[in-house]
């Protein structure tokens, strides 16, 4: 790899970073920028100090700045049926606490100015809203259409809620139906609804007392000691957090507020460190995530799998457990579970044209945090993202290696190669030197302008990115003062969670990726970001706000988050000791930054039939000599067939490791997603920003720039999708909702009630006869005769309703297989659209089918096992019609 000299360019950003090893720093400093300094025993940020008094105690006087700046100007939007549907993108209501006025529904305001003081804790506030237009529309039409085009039917109206930036409010629209305190209620005055709340609630744990202390480190885990008391204490704190995350059933929990654990949480945690620290509890936790011999996708948008499809990360954890334990029974079990799951995935989520897997980004499963506002669950399913595809490629490689270990002939590694090649072909951005987070837009997808840094880190660690790409993405990806953001750039008007957030477990993976890419500077800064947060907050938090470095201000947060603690511990074993588990032993590849030089000792590390005591001396990533029980070892490898107690000593050459280049910058905003009103060929950008530029894509190809709010399209003779992407000087934003142009002779509609039994009890009255109810027992095989004049490629989708659950969670996504003339074309995916909302219809994902001239047959069939959803019982939707569109 080459040594880059671009650092001098990047430090001209609006803040200054420095780091250990640079002339102006003392040897005790790990990382420093204009906001904070991390040393071997403390963290300093202005008047706030966290000090490791000993390896078993950290004292912190950190106080969140949130209380000192709680503005009396309250920004909020209303929500019908727990969706962000009242106002257009970029629009909000504003109110000044202490003034009395009635807000009109659907009418946004501009932010007012005020000289009022910040609000005290528990300041009461009452909001009144005039809902007369909604109630009148219910009376006149039976439904109300919001500014976003969402139709709310009178019989399915659940209420109106408030979402906002001021606590106790959040911008979590999808979960508002769980929060009655955020629901408005009718008053005695006709059409007027109101809500009263206490603003600026105090933190549950008092600031200034975020310290941590234990009597002694747990003897059930390896002991660690070094010349850096802070790192020793944070290791012990993380082990303490992990122990407190034990469940009585022998599994792990996700954190202090999460009694259970999710497939991805425990799997990433186990890969980082839990698989080798506690293989038995790790094994139990993975077994709890299996149902009917398949991996459970237990979270996700629109009814879980297959909209969310990253469950194969389970394979990564399962493989680590086998490499640590050598347990052949576990290997057989894991191989069968992964094979059954990934075979179903290939039938349902694989895109046979682009060679990628569909589905939500791994871990980024809160729709509004990481996707454009217009994107519904079906749009998220249609997207093809970096992180989840890296997980799939790695799962295929693992399945291939498992098969080889078991003597089972297979081609799974080749399938991993196919996804790897498709990722690098479709998501690598040569102009930026890093990956796009996903392809999106439906039939003619384009790259998202955003960055997913978990996906990028995993692409390096799991060899999806070659050495050149690995070095480039570590150098070029924006790194903010408080760490690597989970996604970048930030979306405006979205409360931090995945958006505008640093997640310690993502930072841990990033540190490991930076070490693999040989970037010492990125490793040091990543360590500094992790250690600062853990020391100040006295626990391994779920996340911190990227723009402030604070633990408050996010939509949700949690203490002793399992994967955060596992990531902190991983720095000792996977980074400083460089432990890489193989089927036949442990390979050591230490990476010790220059400022952490000295002696590091790990004692009591249990590995198969051995107990290891490991000493690392010096710094760098180049081993001078490694000895096992005093005998020099040339291959830096400890064999698995050893037994008993062993002493391993690794001496490093004390050299600086390769690249130091980084792209250092503050948190930046995406331009707002355009909201476009269409009138035939005429488009009008409702939230146009003066001086902005918009790039127009036609069927996935960039055609022209637009610098006016008004524009006119050309005539199109074929089915066409128009994307408008906003640009500013630095970044692109999410595209506007794709605009479809469908010539009259290009589309045919097939009403399903003409070929299947019509009617449903989910809808009352004559409207019920317009739908065909499908379930695991009703209309399981629908055949639709189709006649076309021209052979070739056609798009097919389904207009449907699914009221089995909310838009953001649960597990009742309806899945069916689509056949054309007897040949499987893919899966029709019909996500949940709102609990009990059976009149709320939308389109499924769109598939491409090949038809012959004349008579054809389309078949929508419930096929097991691949169409069995995560619920297993409820797999229900109402089909209105099938749409057939000529591609060209």
């Amino acid at each position: 790899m080459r040594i880059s000299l671009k650092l001098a360019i990047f430090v001209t950003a609006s803040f200054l970073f420095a780091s250990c090893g640079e002339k102006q720093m003392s040897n005790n400093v790990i990382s420093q920028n204009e906001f904070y300094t991390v040393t071997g025993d403390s963290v300093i940020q202005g008047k706030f100090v966290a000090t490791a008094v000993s390896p078993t105690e950290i004292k912190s006087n950190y106080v969140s700045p949130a209380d000192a700046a709680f503005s009396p100007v309250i920004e909020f939007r209303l929500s019908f049926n727990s969706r962000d549907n009242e106002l257009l993108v970029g629009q909000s209501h504003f109110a000044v606490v202490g003034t009395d006025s009635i807000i009109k529904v659907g009418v946004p305001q501009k932010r007012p100015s005020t000289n009022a003081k910040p609000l005290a804790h528990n300041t009461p506030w009452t909001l009144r809203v005039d809902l007369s237009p909604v109630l009148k529309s219910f009376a006149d039409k039976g439904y109300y259409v919001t500014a976003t085009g969402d139709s709310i039917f009178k019989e399915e109206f659940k209420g109106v809620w408030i979402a906002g930036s001021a606590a106790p409010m959040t911008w979590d629209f999808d979960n508002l139906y769980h929060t009655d305190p955020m629901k408005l209620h009718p008053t005695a005055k006709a059409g007027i609804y109101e809500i009263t709340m206490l603003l600026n609630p105090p933190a549950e744990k008092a600031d200034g007392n975020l310290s941590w202390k234990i009597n002694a480190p747990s003897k059930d885990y390896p002991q660690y000691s070094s010349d850096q008391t802070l790192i020793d204490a944070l290791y012990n704190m993380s082990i303490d957090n992990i122990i407190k995350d034990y469940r009585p059933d022998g599994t792990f929990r996700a954190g202090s507020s999460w009694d259970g654990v999710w497939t991805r949480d425990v799997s990433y945690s186990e890969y980082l460190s839990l698989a080798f620290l506690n293989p038995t509890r790790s094994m139990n936790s993975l077994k709890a995530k299996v149902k009917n011999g398949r991996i459970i996708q237990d979270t996700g948008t629109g009814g879980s799998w297959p909209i969310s499809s990253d469950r194969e990360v389970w394979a990564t954890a399962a493989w680590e457990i086998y490499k640590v334990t050598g347990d052949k029974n576990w290997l057989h079990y894991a191989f069968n579970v992964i094979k059954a799951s990934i075979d179903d995935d290939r039938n349902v989520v694989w895109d046979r044209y682009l060679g990628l897997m569909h589905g939500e980004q791994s871990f980024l499963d809160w729709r509004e945090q990481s996707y454009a506002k217009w994107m519904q669950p079906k749009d998220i399913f249609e997207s093809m993202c970096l992180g989840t595809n890296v997980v799939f490629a790695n799962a295929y490689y693992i399945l291939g290696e498992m098969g080889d270990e078991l003597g089972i002939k297979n081609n799974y590694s080749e399938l991993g190669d196919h996804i790897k090649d498709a990722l690098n072909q479709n998501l690598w951005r040569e102009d930026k030197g890093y990956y796009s987070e996903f392809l999106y837009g439906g039939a003619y997808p384009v790259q998202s302008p955003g960055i997913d840094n978990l996906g990028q880190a995993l692409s390096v660690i799991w060899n999806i990115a070659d050495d050149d790409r690995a070095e480039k993405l570590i150098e070029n990806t924006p790194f903010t003062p408080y760490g690597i953001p989970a996604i970048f750039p930030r979306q405006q008007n979205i409360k931090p969670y995945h958006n505008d957030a640093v997640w310690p477990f993502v930072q841990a993976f990033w540190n490991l990726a930076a070490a693999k890419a040989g970037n010492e500077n990125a490793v040091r800064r990543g360590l500094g970001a992790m250690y600062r947060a853990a020391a100040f907050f006295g626990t391994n938090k779920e996340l911190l706000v990227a723009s402030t470095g604070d633990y408050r201000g996010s939509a949700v947060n949690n203490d002793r988050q399992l994967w955060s603690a596992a990531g902190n511990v991983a720095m000792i074993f996977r980074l400083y000791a460089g432990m890489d588990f193989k089927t036949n032993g442990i390979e050591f590849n230490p990476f010790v930054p220059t400022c952490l030089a000295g002696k590091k000792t790990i004692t009591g590390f249990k590995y198969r039939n051995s107990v290891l005591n490991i000493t690392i001396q010096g710094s760098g990533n180049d081993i001078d000599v490694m000895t096992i029980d005093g005998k020099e070892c040339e291959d830096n490898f400890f064999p698995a067939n050893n037994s008993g107690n062993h002493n391993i000593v690794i001496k490093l050459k004390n050299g600086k490791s390769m690249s130091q280049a980084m792209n250092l910058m503050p948190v930046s905003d995406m331009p707002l997603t355009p909201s476009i009103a269409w009138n035939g060929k005429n488009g009008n950008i409702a939230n146009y920003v003066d001086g902005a530029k918009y790039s127009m894509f036609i069927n996935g190809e960039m055609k022209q720039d637009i610098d006016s709010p008004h524009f006119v399209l050309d005539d199109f003779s074929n089915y066409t999708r128009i994307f408008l992407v906003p640009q500013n000087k630095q970044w692109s934003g999410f595209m506007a909702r794709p605009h479809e142009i469908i010539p009259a002779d290009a589309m045919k509609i097939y009403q399903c009630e003409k070929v299947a039994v019509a009617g449903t009890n989910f809808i009352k009255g004559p409207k019920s006869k317009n739908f065909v109810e499908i379930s695991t027992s009703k209309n399981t095989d629908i055949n639709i005769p189709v006649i076309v004049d021209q052979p070739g490629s056609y798009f097919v989708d389904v207009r449907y309703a699914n009221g089995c659950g909310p838009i953001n969670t649960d597990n009742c996504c309806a899945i069916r297989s689509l056949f054309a003339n007897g040949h499987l074309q893919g899966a029709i995916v019909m996500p949940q659209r709102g609990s009990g909302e059976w009149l709320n219809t939308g389109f499924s994902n769109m598939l491409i089918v090949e038809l012959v001239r004349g008579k054809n047959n389309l078949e929508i069939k419930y096929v097991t096992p691949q169409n069995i959803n995560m619920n297993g019982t409820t797999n229900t939707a109402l089909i209105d019609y099938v749409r057939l569109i000529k591609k060209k």
Side-chain angles (χ1 to χ4, degrees):
M1 293 185 189
R2 59 189 169 83
I3 298 176
S4 174
L5 300 176
K6 289 185 281 187
L7 181 60
I9 299 173
F10 291 129
V11 296
T12 59
S14 63
F15 58 87
L16 175 65
F17 274 104
S19 57
C20 58
E22 295 175 2
K23 291 182 179 180
Q24 69 270 35
M25 306 304 304
S26 73
N27 290 332
N28 192 38
V29 172
I30 298 171
S31 185
Q32 184 180 59
N33 61 38
E34 68 169 309
F35 300 105
Y36 62 87
T37 299
V38 180
T39 74
D41 57 13
S42 62
V43 180
I44 305 102
Q45 182 175 316
K47 62 183 179 181
F48 304 131
V49 179
T51 301
V53 179
S54 73
T56 58
E57 182 179 7
I58 299 173
K59 289 186 176 181
S60 171
N61 69 349
Y62 180 82
V63 176
S64 169
D67 289 346
F70 202 100
S71 173
V73 178
I74 308 302
E75 180 182 5
F76 62 94
R77 297 197 292 274
L78 303 177
S79 168
F80 298 100
N81 288 7
S82 196
R83 295 196 287 275
D84 185 5
N85 52 8
E86 185 218 1
L87 299 172
L88 296 175
V89 173
Q91 296 180 340
S92 292
H93 297 292
F94 293 92
V96 178
V97 177
T99 62
D100 189 15
S101 62
I102 296 177
I103 297 295
K104 292 185 178 180
V105 67
V107 180
Q109 292 90 40
K110 293 183 178 180
R111 181 183 293 273
S113 58
T114 179
N115 294 321
K117 296 180 180 179
L119 299 184
H121 285 305
N122 291 329
T123 299
W125 177 55
T126 297
L127 171 71
R128 296 176 179 85
V129 177
D130 184 359
L131 288 183
S132 299
V134 178
L135 303 178
K136 184 177 186 303
S137 185
F138 283 163
D140 295 344
K141 301 178 182 179
Y143 62 90
Y144 171 74
V145 180
T146 72
T148 64
D150 194 1
S151 295
I152 308 297
F153 290 88
K154 180 180 179 181
E155 56 263 52
E156 296 179 348
F157 176 59
K158 299 183 181 69
V160 59
W161 284 263
I162 184 172
S165 57
M169 293 183 289
T170 77
W171 291 115
D172 182 11
F173 288 89
D174 288 340
N175 283 309
L176 285 173
Y177 67 95
H178 288 308
T179 55
D180 190 68
M182 294 298 111
K183 188 175 184 179
L184 280 73
H185 298 279
T187 65
K189 188 173 182 180
I192 304 299
Y193 281 55
E194 75 173 19
I195 184 172
T196 297
M197 67 181 73
L198 297 178
L199 296 173
N200 193 17
E204 292 183 8
K205 187 175 181 181
D207 283 351
N209 186 28
L210 300 175
S211 302
W212 165 86
K213 183 179 181 179
I214 57 173
N215 292 326
S218 170
K219 295 181 180 179
D220 294 332
Y221 285 85
Q223 307 296 298
Y224 176 74
S225 63
S226 71
D227 296 336
Q228 294 83 32
T229 308
L230 178 66
I231 297 177
D232 298 356
L234 290 174
Y235 170 79
N236 290 327
M237 184 183 80
S238 299
I239 293 295
D240 179 49
N241 286 177
I242 290 168
I243 293 171
K244 288 176 179 175
D245 282 338
Y246 286 0
R247 283 169 48 93
D249 63 358
T251 65
F252 291 106
R253 61 186 290 159
S256 63
S257 301
W258 318 124
D259 183 47
V261 71
W262 296 278
T263 300
R264 70 171 65 95
D265 292 52
V266 74
S267 298
Y268 283 127
S269 300
E270 290 181 13
Y271 175 85
L272 283 165
S273 61
L274 298 185
F276 55 79
L277 290 177
N278 197 327
T280 300
R281 190 171 288 268
S282 294
M283 200 179 291
N284 292 341
S285 298
L286 289 192
K287 286 180 176 178
K289 300 285 98 179
V290 176
K291 179 181 178 182
N292 298 326
R294 286 162 173 79
I295 305 165
I296 296 171
Q297 183 76 50
D298 46 13
T299 65
T301 295
S304 187
W305 187 80
I307 294 95
S308 195
S309 58
D310 68 340
R311 61 179 178 166
E312 297 301 338
V313 70
W314 189 98
T316 304
W319 184 230
E320 288 301 304
I321 290 173
Y322 172 69
K323 289 189 294 183
V324 169
T325 64
D327 186 333
K328 289 288 186 179
N329 291 329
W330 171 253
L331 182 63
H332 276 279
Y333 171 80
F335 178 84
N336 290 329
V337 168
I338 298 164
K339 181 182 183 303
S341 305
I342 210 165
D343 287 351
D344 285 351
D345 286 328
R346 190 164 183 85
N347 282 316
V348 175
V349 303
W350 181 60
D351 188 286
R352 59 197 176 108
Y353 291 94
L354 290 177
L356 294 170
M357 297 291 190
H358 290 281
E360 197 162 40
Q361 299 179 86
S362 183
F363 128 82
L364 301 171
D365 61 341
W366 190 337
R367 180 172 55 95
E368 292 182 329
Q369 289 283 327
S370 48
Y371 291 95
K373 180 180 175 181
W374 57 265
M375 292 181 72
Q376 295 296 302
K378 77 97 177 178
D379 300 300
I380 292 173
F381 172 77
E382 286 184 322
S383 69
M384 290 163 275
C385 69
L386 174 67
T388 297
N389 274 279
V390 170
V391 165
F392 267 106
N394 196 51
Y396 274 125
Y397 289 138
I398 286 169
L399 198 56
E401 291 188 79
M402 284 183 166
D404 294 342
E405 193 79 1
L406 292 168
I408 299 172
K409 188 176 181 180
N410 67 86
N411 69 336
Y412 286 113
S413 292
E414 292 178 20
L415 298 178
D417 284 339
H418 294 164
I419 294 179
K420 173 181 176 179
D421 292 343
L423 270 173
N424 286 314
Q425 180 178 347
N426 291 288
L427 286 172
W428 179 254
R429 299 190 63 182
E430 190 62 40
D431 61 324
K432 298 291 187 180
Y434 50 70
Y435 288 101
S436 165
E437 61 183 340
F438 53 75
L439 299 177
Y440 73 134
Y444 297 99
V446 299
Q447 290 181 344
S448 163
I451 307 169
D452 160 25
N453 284 320
L454 175 61
Q456 291 215 107
L458 297 180
S459 75
V460 174
I461 296 168
W462 294 340
N463 300 311
I464 303 304
D466 59 24
D467 288 350
D468 184 59
R469 286 192 176 100
E471 184 178 345
K472 285 180 178 177
L473 74 85
I474 296 296
E475 291 179 0
N476 294 318
T477 300
F479 191 100
T480 65
Y482 296 103
I484 192 72
I487 52 179
F488 194 92
R490 174 178 64 182
Q491 283 199 76
Q492 301 178 52
N493 302 317
I494 299 292
K495 195 159 189 174
Y497 187 65
H498 296 135
N499 185 64
D500 188 17
V502 173
W503 286 65
F505 96 96
V506 175
Q507 185 67 69
F509 276 114
W510 190 263
N511 295 350
L512 297 176
K516 187 173 181 181
N519 195 316
E520 182 180 356
N521 198 17
V523 172
R524 293 192 302 256
R525 299 187 193 286
L527 291 170
M530 284 182 67
Y531 293 156
R532 171 202 167 269
F536 267 158
F537 307 152
T539 186
N540 285 281
K541 283 284 189 182
E542 184 175 6
L543 70 143
L544 55 141
V545 179
S547 53
T548 66
D550 195 16
Y551 70 94
R552 294 188 66 185
S554 61
V556 181
N557 212 337
N558 183 55
D559 289 347
R560 65 171 204 269
Q561 189 79 3
L562 184 67
W563 52 14
S564 300
N568 208 320
V569 169
M571 298 302 96
I572 305 302
F573 300 97
R574 289 201 180 273
L575 184 67
Y576 304 147
M579 299 171 74
D580 185 6
F581 294 89
K582 309 293 184 181
T583 58
N584 60 341
I586 308 173
E587 184 178 296
F588 289 86
N589 298 291
F591 191 110
V592 179
T594 308
C595 53
L596 296 180
K599 184 178 180 181
K600 296 170 178 57
T601 303
I602 299 167
T603 58
F605 184 88
K606 298 174 183 177
Y607 171 67
R608 299 201 186 183
N609 295 318
S610 298
V611 177
L612 309 182
N613 299 314
I614 305 164
T615 301
I616 304 111
Q617 299 173 350
S619 65
N621 61 350
D622 191 4
I623 294 176
D624 185 19
V625 62
M626 171 174 160
T627 61
I628 301 175
D629 300 326
K631 295 180 181 180
E632 188 170 339
C633 172
E634 293 184 0
D635 55 5
N636 308 325
F637 193 80
F638 181 85
N641 57 7
N642 282 345
S643 62
N645 295 327
H646 297 278
N647 296 314
I648 299 173
V649 178
I650 302 171
K651 295 181 180 179
L652 300 173
K653 290 185 177 179
N654 291 331
K656 262 194 176 181
S657 55
M658 305 176 188
S659 173
Q660 304 295 314
M662 292 180 71
N663 186 0
L664 308 175
M665 65 170 57
V667 172
S668 301
D669 289 331
M670 271 187 181
L672 286 174
T673 303
S675 294
I676 304 175
W678 292 96
N679 182 11
K681 297 191 299 181
N682 296 286
N684 180 62
I685 304 172
N687 58 347
Y688 176 80
V689 177
D690 287 339
K693 184 176 74 172
Y694 300 84
S695 297
M696 179 184 290
F697 289 75
I698 299 176
N699 289 346
E701 295 184 6
M702 198 285 191
K703 294 296 184 181
Q704 68 181 87
D705 287 329
I706 294 172
D707 55 8
S708 167
H710 309 287
F711 58 94
V712 181
L713 298 178
D714 296 330
D715 292 319
F716 297 97
S717 58
N718 297 315
Y719 173 74
T720 304
R721 288 175 76 85
I722 307 294
F723 306 150
L724 214 64
V725 177
Q727 313 279 351
N728 63 24
K729 292 180 179 180
Q730 269 192 310
W731 306 106
S732 300
F734 286 133
M735 69 169 74
R737 183 191 303 274
H739 179 60
E740 286 187 323
I741 298 171
I742 310 176
D745 61 352
M747 181 173 68
K748 293 183 178 181
I749 299 294
Y750 296 89
Q751 299 290 343
C752 285
E753 60 267 28
K754 295 181 179 180
V755 294
V757 178
T760 176
N761 292 326
F762 290 119
I763 299 173
K764 296 179 181 179
K767 291 179 182 178
S768 67
K769 298 298 181 181
N770 296 332
F771 295 92
V772 170
E773 181 181 337
I774 60 172
S775 69
T776 57
S777 59
K778 294 181 180 179
N779 294 306
T780 58
D781 192 354
I782 302 173
N783 286 274
I784 305 166
V786 169
I787 298 176
V788 297
D789 297 330
Q790 300 177 30
S793 300
Y794 287 79
F795 294 117
V796 176
D797 57 13
V798 172
R799 188 84 183 184
Y800 78 98
N802 182 346
C804 291
I807 198 171
N808 66 315
T809 186
D810 225 327
N811 59 6
C812 295
C813 177
I815 312 163
R816 296 297 182 272
S817 293
L818 176 68
F819 295 82
N821 299 327
H823 300 289
L824 178 64
Q825 305 298 304
I828 293 288
V829 177
M830 294 165 280
Q832 298 162 185
R833 295 185 58 82
S835 296
E837 295 188 44
W838 293 101
L839 291 172
N840 177 358
T841 63
F843 286 109
S844 71
N845 61 308
M846 187 176 272
L847 293 173
I848 300 174
V849 302
E850 299 299 323
L851 301 181
V852 299
R853 185 190 307 275
K855 295 181 179 180
N856 295 267
N857 186 70
L858 296 180
E859 183 181 12
I860 299 174
K861 187 175 182 179
Y862 181 64
V863 179
T864 58
Q866 61 256 35
N867 292 161
I868 299 175
N869 64 11
M870 289 297 111
N871 183 277
T873 301
T874 302
N875 195 328
T876 300
L878 306 183
I879 294 181
D880 186 1
Y881 59 81
V882 173
R883 191 169 65 156
L884 184 70
I885 304 170
K886 187 74 175 74
K887 186 178 180 184
K888 291 183 179 179

